Amino acid sequence: MTPVTESRLRVRYVETDQMGVVYYANYLVWMEVGRVELCKACGFNYKDMEIEDGIFLAVAESHCEYRSPARFDDEVIVRTSIEKANTRFVTFTYEMRLAEGDRRLAKGYTRHVFVSRAMRPTQLPEKYHALFGIG
């Protein structure tokens, strides 16, 4: 079973819009932060998988539901997990919460296709199967 990770970040002023709330696209950036940390918790560095094995995670689909706004200097917790994976794709799920009061800000998922350096769909090498929870 793959872990659930918690990444903490603080909202920067540049991440807010004219209304003073976090601009919606920044949640996708935070999802990436969570994804990279989850890979580390699973026992590998995503960067090494790219360099050593030529395997990349191409985003095929993303979805985010916004519940409550975050504002400048808020501390946000991004909880990340793998919902499902096979040798061709992986789906990560995310929940973003305000650290103070544990209020849900947003939840979502991203679906990724494993691709080669040539950006062609490929199979995940066997050495990563257990790390992604592929049995």
Side-chain angles (χ1 to χ4, degrees):
M1 182 168 186
T2 60
V4 175
T5 60
E6 287 192 358
S7 305
R8 290 179 174 261
L9 53 91
R10 190 156 299 276
V11 175
R12 298 174 300 164
Y13 187 80
V14 71
E15 293 172 315
T16 62
D17 62 17
Q18 187 174 2
M19 295 180 288
V21 300
V22 171
Y23 181 68
Y24 74 93
N26 286 305
Y27 288 86
L28 296 174
V29 174
W30 297 349
M31 289 177 183
E32 182 179 352
V33 169
R35 202 163 51 244
V36 170
E37 290 303 313
L38 179 63
C39 289
K40 289 177 184 175
C42 286
F44 69 98
N45 286 318
Y46 177 63
K47 179 180 175 182
D48 294 339
M49 187 170 75
E50 290 181 337
I51 293 169
E52 296 170 10
D53 299 295
I55 302 295
F56 297 81
L57 295 172
V59 177
E61 183 180 352
S62 64
H63 178 81
C64 189
E65 295 177 25
Y66 306 94
R67 303 286 186 184
S68 185
R71 300 182 187 283
F72 170 64
D73 207 36
D74 283 346
E75 185 178 18
V76 175
I77 299 169
V78 181
R79 291 189 181 111
T80 308
S81 62
I82 293 176
E83 180 179 276
K84 60 183 171 181
N86 64 35
T87 60
R88 296 282 186 187
F89 72 88
V90 59
T91 302
F92 295 92
T93 60
Y94 313 90
E95 183 179 55
M96 280 121 323
R97 300 186 84 84
L98 201 58
E100 184 178 322
D102 198 38
R103 180 175 37 121
R104 180 189 284 178
L105 302 171
K107 69 176 185 171
Y109 66 87
T110 54
R111 185 170 188 251
H112 303 257
V113 176
F114 297 112
V115 298
S116 66
R117 285 187 177 94
M119 297 305 288
R120 301 269 190 245
T122 190
Q123 287 200 21
L124 182 68
E126 191 171 333
K127 73 181 195 180
Y128 293 104
H129 288 192
L131 302 173
F132 279 91
I134 300 169

